[in-house]
Amino acid sequence: MDLQPQEVQALTPLLAAEAAAEAPGAGVDAADLEQAVWVRLLEHPDAALPPEPAGWVRGAVRAEARLARRRVRREAPYATEPPASHDAGPEPAVLAAERRRVLRAAVGRLPARCRPLLALLLSPSDPTYREIAGELGMSQGSLGPMRSRCLGCLRRMLAAEVAPPVRRGMEP
């Protein structure tokens, strides 16, 4: 779809208003609804701009809100981990503390855009995606891709620091 700048400027306030109206009922952030509708609009490059863009925007926002409501209903929290055994001795606690220290040190060496996100994800208060998005001033829908990129960077960084496993048995 070839959207002209003036068309985008004309649709933006309407889209923002419609998303703000539908977001509370869908249980999602208004910016996430806006982003989903822009993606929907730009997914079909061959299609022409609908004859009545305002009606199309209203319908698209409502459709994305319905999808979001269904997603929210299907989401389930992860099961919590069982408490650690108290008779195992101090070793597991010391090893866990060392792993947390190494992880926090690695997070401190990440690129500047990843540090605050991973610090919030590792926070003991366990904030929700909505709270993290509000804290960082970004849309909730952008957190997942950014989290994936940052975790990949952290994974590569930690893999470079960890010695490769020692081969056992007959070596080829």
Side-chain angles (χ1 to χ4, degrees):
M1 181 174 300
D2 293 329
L3 285 177
Q4 301 301 319
Q6 63 270 19
E7 294 170 331
V8 171
Q9 286 178 340
L11 290 177
T12 300
L14 175 63
L15 178 56
E18 289 290 332
E22 290 288 332
V28 296
D29 189 34
D32 292 336
L33 272 180
E34 284 185 58
Q35 189 175 31
V37 172
W38 281 120
V39 168
R40 180 183 279 220
L41 181 64
L42 298 173
E43 272 179 341
H44 305 288
D46 300 335
L49 188 64
E52 187 193 338
W56 184 90
V57 167
R58 280 188 213 99
V61 169
R62 290 184 180 130
E64 289 298 329
R66 278 192 305 273
L67 288 171
R69 275 192 296 277
R70 281 189 221 127
R71 256 191 318 270
V72 167
R73 276 192 303 247
R74 287 191 310 247
E75 288 178 351
Y78 287 118
T80 58
E81 293 182 21
S85 174
H86 293 291
D87 58 321
E91 291 89 5
V94 170
L95 291 173
E98 177 63 16
R99 280 194 300 272
R100 285 192 300 273
R101 186 194 64 73
V102 169
L103 181 62
R104 293 216 181 269
V107 167
R109 294 190 312 269
L110 283 172
R113 68 183 191 283
C114 291
R115 275 184 238 135
L117 173 62
L118 290 182
L120 285 169
L121 289 172
L122 292 172
S123 170
S125 65
D126 196 26
T128 63
Y129 260 34
R130 179 176 284 170
E131 293 167 343
I132 292 172
E135 181 78 22
L136 297 177
M138 60 190 309
S139 87
Q140 196 174 337
S142 300
L143 283 179
M146 185 174 171
R147 178 190 61 105
S148 294
R149 286 190 301 271
C150 293
L151 287 176
C153 185
L154 181 64
R155 194 176 297 117
R156 285 186 301 276
M157 183 186 302
L158 290 174
E161 293 176 5
V162 176
V166 176
R167 291 182 153 234
R168 296 179 182 221
M170 295 176 33
E171 292 186 18

